[in-house]
Amino acid sequence: MHTFRNGERGQRQDSARVANILRGAWRSVPPPLDFTMDDLQLALPLLQDASLTALAWWRIRRTPLAQTHAGVILRQEYVTQSIRAAAASHRVYQYVSALQAQNIDPIVFKGWALVPHYAEAGMRPAGDVDLAVAPYAAERAAQILRDLGAKPTEMDVHPGLADAAHAAYIPHSSWEEIYARSLQKSIGAVQVRVLDPADELQLLCIHFLRHLGARPIWLCDIAAALETRPENFDWTRALAKPPFTSWIECAILLAHELLDANLENTPLAARQTLPTWLVSDVLQRWAQPRTPSIMVHDSVFQIWRNPARWKEAVAARVPNRLAATLDFQGSLDEPFLARYQARWLWRRLTAFAERTVRRAP
Amino acid sequence: MATSLYPHARREGFIIQPLDGELILHDGEVTHLLNVTAASVWQLCDGHHSLAEISQELALPEETIVYTLQQLARKQLLQKNADAVLFSKPLTRREFLKKGALVAAAIPVVKTIQLPSPQDIPSNGGVCTCPDCTGVPTTCDGMTPCQVGTCIDGCCQVI
């Protein structure tokens, strides 16, 4: 069981350390070290918790830190993660072959599909395999994979990528358009269909923000995809239309600010519009341990009779600025984002009132 | 030993993945981890390089190459055609270490590894699809706490 440092400031310092360790870690030749053994030691629990050990190993592997106790742990986890990545590749091969045999041509995206953006396949933690198929074929595709023995933790079939209710989606494009732009690619020994690079970067940015920037690896994905984009990368399409333009710009600028993603030759090179609260917000989230506090989520009725807990209960129910802005499809570069929080709060209050009235005898 | 031997690696059905100079070979059930020496030899086993050429290219004694090939063959990582020649006079590890004045780093190692369970891997999280969601699809898998509400059955429930 890891212990995490108390206090918001201490937590933010720890996650800032994690960000510093990850700077450029996806590259074949990562930048020289600018942190100490103590920094690595302090960040280790968070690195392990977020499956970032392989990336951290890659950053330190040619330095004296590789010989330290933390270095030995990172190396072991890097090997384990690499083996898992090989197993994930095999699973992708099986899934894609099985679906293609039934005339379903999936697009593999996120997770495993991002491996080519990293120096080595094992550097990115392999989770479930994300497959997008035509919406009408999604049920059948999921059944084919279940029949193959795929567990729910191993695959995630998405009915297209145009549904705004999902965190991973591409706005202003139909499934047919996304599919027409997708590319056949050989990743390792596996021939798969992947997203067009502009669609991919767009999806990664929107997905990262819709999940409130919860996982550092998602920001590494953005940084790595940005730096390995092809020369003919379509920036006009990648930056989408408002309000998504501000979302995508903010995610990319975050990757630059926290992970040193290279903005050279991008439309964002001269722009500095990243809201400072967003950096702090994301760092705070990276520092949160896995287990959520359940104390603050007690029902209103339970808290009602205990005025000492009212303040805490209200604080827990005020929506996050990022969450509220995204939920109402606001633009992140607007002033007064608090109005989205107020709208969210109002919506929740009315929903609560309606529920209470309905329950009343 | 026949220096005219042209060993051929078995590549079909394997996911071949580099590991900082080493190599992972995975066939869906078994995972082999080849250290730098074993990986270098295996990669040159293309049916075009003779045993002598491999030895020359890697600047390693022929005994090391033979011992590596024997290890690879035992793990069925070579095509069968080389077996008869390779095992006509098999080298034990003890004999090999006695014969070769080797530095430890050049000793070939082929490990076979038990695969870690995919359940141990933190999922990327699913999208909250329950009717009582908080509005923003949030991961609710125990890794990321709900922004609002309590994480119940993968959904952020507002009580």
Side-chain angles (χ1 to χ4, degrees), chain B residues 10-27:
Chain B
R10 190 168 72 84
R11 289 186 166 84
E12 310 77 49
F14 276 119
I15 297 293
I16 302 162
Q17 194 176 288
L19 183 79
D20 200 9
E22 302 185 9
L23 212 55
I24 291 171
L25 307 178
H26 177 77
D27 69 357

Side-chain angles (χ1 to χ4, degrees), chain A residues 54 77-87 120-123, chain B residues 17-19 24:
Chain A
E77 296 195 13
Y78 156 74
V79 173
T80 309
Q81 199 168 291
S82 298
I83 296 167
R84 282 177 176 154
E120 267 192 11
M123 286 163 63
Chain B
Q17 194 176 288
L19 183 79
I24 291 171

Side-chain angles (χ1 to χ4, degrees), chain A residues 98-122:
Chain A
L99 292 175
Q100 284 173 344
Q102 300 292 323
N103 295 320
I104 298 175
D105 192 12
I107 296 178
V108 189
F109 70 105
K110 290 203 293 154
W112 180 87
L114 304 174
V115 156
H117 302 315
Y118 288 81
E120 267 192 11

Side-chain angles (χ1 to χ4, degrees), chain B residues 87-127:
Chain B
F87 293 108
S88 61
K89 199 183 169 195
L91 272 174
T92 65
R93 188 173 177 84
R94 187 183 294 257
E95 285 167 346
F96 163 67
L97 291 173
K98 267 187 193 169
K99 272 191 179 182
L102 280 171
V103 287
I107 298 171
V109 180
V110 182
K111 278 188 207 164
T112 302
I113 296 160
Q114 181 71 36
L115 200 64
S117 157
Q119 276 80 0
D120 298 338
I121 308 161
S123 160
N124 281 355
V127 174

Side-chain angles (χ1 to χ4, degrees), chain B residues 43-66:
Chain B
Q43 280 171 318
L44 284 175
C45 291
D46 53 6
H48 300 297
H49 283 79
S50 71
L51 197 149
E53 285 167 338
I54 296 173
S55 165
Q56 199 177 356
E57 193 150 326
L58 298 178
L60 288 170
E62 276 193 22
E63 284 83 2
T64 305
I65 308 300
V66 172

Side-chain angles (χ1 to χ4, degrees), chain A residues 51 61-62 78 82 84 86 90 120 126 151 154 165 210-212 215 218 285 290 292 297 299 320 323 344 348, chain B residues 17-20 22 24 27-28 118-122 124 134-137 139 142-143 145 147-150 158-159:
Chain A
S51 304
R61 77 193 208 286
R62 300 273 186 262
Y78 156 74
S82 298
R84 282 177 176 154
H90 194 268
E120 267 192 11
K151 298 177 186 117
E154 294 172 341
R210 291 290 297 264
H211 280 302
L212 310 179
R215 296 188 66 197
W218 292 333
R285 194 152 293 108
R290 278 165 182 257
H297 298 312
S299 82
N320 168 281
W344 179 328
R348 286 205 52 215
Chain B
Q17 194 176 288
L19 183 79
D20 200 9
E22 302 185 9
I24 291 171
D27 69 357
Q119 276 80 0
D120 298 338
I121 308 161
N124 281 355
T134 51
V136 169
T139 45
M143 183 174 170
Q147 280 304 303
V148 181
T150 309
V158 183
I159 304 166

Side-chain angles (χ1 to χ4, degrees), chain A residues 324 328 330-331 334-344:
Chain A
F328 288 102
S331 184
E334 284 176 56
F336 312 120
L337 294 180
R339 68 198 165 101
Y340 292 115
Q341 289 170 284
R343 277 175 70 182
W344 179 328

